[in-house]
Every structure is written in C-alpha cells, then in structure tokens.
Amino acid sequence: RWFSRALHGDFGISYKYKIDVLELIGDRIGNTLLLGGLGFVLLFVLALLLGALCAWKEDRPLDRILCKFGTVTSCIPEFWLSLMLILLFSVTLRWLPSSGAYSVGHADDVGDRIVHLILPMSVVVLSHLWYYAYLVRNRLVEELRADYVLLARSEGMGRAHIVLRQCLRNVLPSYLSLMAISVPHVMGGTYIVEAVFSYPGLGTLSYESARYKDYNLLMVLCLLSGAVVIACSLLAQAM
C-alpha cells in the first residue's frame, strides 16, 4: 500500500514530526550535503597529499611514523572518536560546540556554522583518511618501480618531481574510481557522526526514525541512501 502511494509521489507523513516526509527531508538534506560534501572533498585532497608524501619519503622516519599513526587512527571507531573530541574540545577546553548545526538565532551566520562543523567534519575526515592515503601510497610506490621512473631518474629528475608530476598522474584515474565507490562508505560514517553530535541532517533523521518507529520517514531515507549507492557504483564503473 505504501509503495503504491509512493509511486504517485505520496510518501506519507512523519509520525514523529507530523509533517510531510519530503518536506522534512528537504529541510535537513542541505546540512548533510554540507557536512558530507565538504568532508568528502577534504578527505579526497588530504588522502592524495598524504599518500604522495609517504611515497616520496618511502621507508624514511616520516613515512614510518605516519604509517603507524595512521594505522592506529583508522582502527578507532567513529562514535568513540566523536565522544573523545567532545570531551576534550567542548567539555574540557570549551573551545567548540558539541552539537547542532548553528547556535540559536544564528542560522544565517556563516562563521557560526563553520565553528559547528569543525568537530563532526574532523571525525568524518580522520576516520577515513588513512585508509585511502595508504592505498594511494602503495599505488605510488608501485609506480616508482616502473621503467619510466628509472628513465626519469637517469635524466636527473628529482624524486618529488617524479612523484607529483608523473606517478600521481597515472594513479589519479584509479583513485577517482575508488573515491566514487567510497561515497556510500563515507556517507554511512557521516550518518553516525551526525547522530553523535546531534547534527540536524539525514543521519540524525535515520536514527530517530528507527528509534521512534517512524516507518514512512525510514523507508524514504532507505530509498534515498540506496539510490546514492547505486548511482555511485554506476559512476565508478563508467570511469
């Protein structure tokens, strides 16, 4: 019955919020796109740079330290990291807010929104950063063993120039496909972070809809998330 109504654009009313499901999602989706979108861009850039740095300094102290530190941080659960950052920066130091997308009455204040994004976005980036940076590092290290690299070295090119100008260019297409596939992974992490920080986005809505048995809202959120997963998979295959 719900599916037949949905085919005609009627997704029902949220049991908890008492408003149309699509209207509720429309009010929250912008916050998720802001947090998840900016977090994904930062993750994409930082993982590429960190992987290139480790490949450039292969088997040197900096590379070893970053590898060990990255391995530790990648094993920390997102909810635990979120709680630790809240405890440190919100409770102990009182530098940053612990919840929400903005302070009361400051919805149009860009600076206030940025301050509220710092902690949740840090968790989104840090919890995924080393996984992708390590893949970039290993791929670049393989490229550095290629014959064209030996030729470039014989011509007097420096290692940094070879990594950034030649190897990175060859690695980038596969990295783009990887990041397209990883969108659902990052999106799932964003949902968890939103729930911990009480950030008003789709992640918090998903948690609340499951908790309060708001089935109309939950089914639409599942359909939306599933559509994103399928679209990203098709995009990755097309690359």
Side-chain angles (χ1 to χ4, degrees):
R1 187 176 179 182
W2 178 90
F3 184 73
S4 63
R5 293 200 309 266
L7 290 177
H8 294 86
D10 181 11
F11 294 95
I13 303 296
S14 169
Y15 301 148
K16 182 178 186 295
Y17 292 94
K18 311 302 181 185
I19 61 175
D20 186 82
V21 167
L22 294 182
E23 181 182 348
L24 178 59
I25 292 176
D27 292 338
R28 299 289 189 92
I29 195 171
N31 291 330
T32 295
L33 290 175
L34 182 63
L35 174 60
L38 288 179
F40 185 81
V41 171
L42 282 175
L43 174 63
F44 178 89
V45 174
L46 292 178
L48 196 63
L49 294 177
L50 183 59
L53 176 62
C54 290
W56 177 33
K57 299 293 184 180
E58 181 189 1
D59 288 333
R60 295 183 183 180
L62 179 61
D63 177 42
R64 294 172 184 172
I65 292 172
L66 289 176
C67 286
K68 291 179 180 178
F69 179 75
T71 301
V72 172
T73 56
S74 64
C75 295
I76 299 175
E78 291 169 327
F79 71 89
W80 190 87
L81 179 59
S82 300
L83 293 175
M84 291 300 102
L85 291 182
I86 290 173
L87 178 63
L88 177 60
F89 292 102
S90 299
V91 178
T92 304
L93 299 176
R94 298 184 179 181
W95 288 353
L96 298 169
S98 62
S99 62
Y102 49 83
S103 302
V104 178
H106 293 80
D108 298 326
D109 188 341
V110 176
D112 186 70
R113 281 185 173 269
I114 291 175
V115 169
H116 280 78
L117 278 172
I118 291 176
L119 286 184
M121 189 174 296
S122 297
V123 177
V124 171
V125 173
L126 290 176
S127 57
H128 299 91
L129 178 61
W130 182 246
Y131 175 79
Y132 299 106
Y134 192 69
L135 292 176
V136 172
R137 175 197 178 276
N138 289 346
R139 187 72 180 84
L140 285 173
V141 169
E142 291 178 4
E143 284 292 317
L144 286 170
R145 307 287 192 270
D147 293 337
Y148 75 88
V149 174
L150 297 177
L151 178 61
R153 286 182 177 178
S154 67
E155 294 176 351
M157 292 186 184
R159 186 179 178 89
H161 183 274
I162 295 173
V163 170
L164 296 176
R165 293 295 182 87
Q166 299 189 27
C167 295
L168 201 59
R169 182 174 56 191
N170 294 335
V171 169
L172 198 56
S174 60
Y175 182 60
L176 290 173
S177 297
L178 172 66
M179 294 306 292
I181 297 174
S182 69
V183 169
H185 184 209
V186 178
M187 182 178 67
T190 303
Y191 280 10
I192 295 174
V193 172
E194 285 185 1
V196 176
F197 284 95
S198 297
Y199 186 84
L202 299 186
T204 304
L205 276 183
S206 299
Y207 169 74
E208 292 177 347
S209 63
R211 180 181 180 183
Y212 296 103
K213 299 180 181 179
D214 193 347
Y215 297 119
N216 285 341
L217 178 59
L218 182 60
M219 285 188 284
V220 176
L221 289 171
C222 288
L223 284 175
L224 181 60
S225 300
V228 172
V229 172
I230 294 172
C232 292
S233 298
L234 293 175
L235 178 62
Q237 292 179 0
M239 288 183 174

